[in-house]
Amino acid sequence: RCLSDWSSDVCSSDLWANVHGSFTFGLAVFYLFLCNAIWDLYNKKDLQRLRRLLVLLVGVTVAAVVTPYGPFSALKTVQLMSDPALATINEWRAPDFQKDPFHLASIVGLFALLAYFGIQMRGPRLLTLLLVTVLALEHKRGLGLFALVAPLLLVRPLSVCLPWVGIQDHALDPVLRFGNKRSGIIALACTVVVAITGVTMWTTAPNIQPSTEIAPEAAITAARLAGFKDNVLNSYGFGGYLIFKGIPTFVDSRVELYGNQFLRHYFDAMALNNSDEASVILKQYDVHWALLKPSEPIAFMLKADGWVQLYGDHSAIVLAKRP
């Protein structure tokens, strides 16, 4: 619990941005392409450009280690992804393509495109495509990375087969010539369209709010009215909104702060895989109230133990320990 309280201020620092797994992935891709370029320049004996790339390599490497984990950031990411507790977190599970045919069609369609046009990919471009594909098939959160990176890898070799996909000649392309001559009018027209659309949506559209499945505003309001603001046992999915509301969490998605052992005990307790372990956690962390999903197994145990329900709806319930 002290990790959660201690990290609330530290995580606001920009240094923590480098702990995210995407940082490690970006660094790996950077090294793949940069080392390939260095090897090509070495073979061509282009020493001037080679020195520039070596300076870039050293500079990025030095900047990359300015993190709370120092030079071990990449190892921390590998260690985190290998923690068994992640298997119980939805976004870290493998995608269920029977329920998500869109992403299945996207992955299969991309490789069908490669086969149809006979596109050949080599070196770091091919390795990066294989890497994002593996991540997309292993974890749900990898689907977003695949959707972002795969088209960028494909567009250059695809432009060889489809010239209109590549960069167009300004002198020959009529659309570019038209845009260059009337850039001021086009910019003004775009500004007017965006302004009219924004005003129309602001005045006519309903208020956009997060789903109560992840943002139980009414439940938190009820807890605050009852005087509760800390020592909470919360469902994993509510952790982010508790941080947003300034309430110290029991657990949240910053899994690197909690570690595999804590998360394993937490998920076992929430699922009542071991009722004694659930009781130990409640006592060890002096839990006063709970913000849970109604179907959470531990919620039934707490009610049976005499905890009072202060609030309940289809997405969240608030339980309070009897004085």
Side-chain angles (χ1 to χ4, degrees), residues 235-249:
S235 294
Y236 178 84
F238 293 150
Y241 196 68
L242 285 173
I243 295 175
F244 176 75
K245 301 298 288 186
I247 299 176
T249 64

Side-chain angles (χ1 to χ4, degrees), residues 158-219:
L158 184 61
S159 65
V160 177
C161 305
L162 302 174
W164 54 270
V165 175
I167 299 175
Q168 303 301 310
D169 191 325
H170 288 259
L172 300 178
D173 192 293
V175 176
L176 293 178
R177 289 204 306 265
F178 177 85
N180 290 334
K181 291 181 180 179
R182 298 168 177 80
S183 57
I185 297 176
I186 293 174
L188 178 61
C190 291
T191 303
V192 171
V193 170
V194 170
I196 293 175
T197 303
V199 171
T200 302
M201 293 183 64
W202 182 65
T203 55
T204 61
N207 293 331
I208 300 176
Q209 296 179 345
S211 170
T212 56
E213 297 295 328
I214 59 173
E217 174 66 30

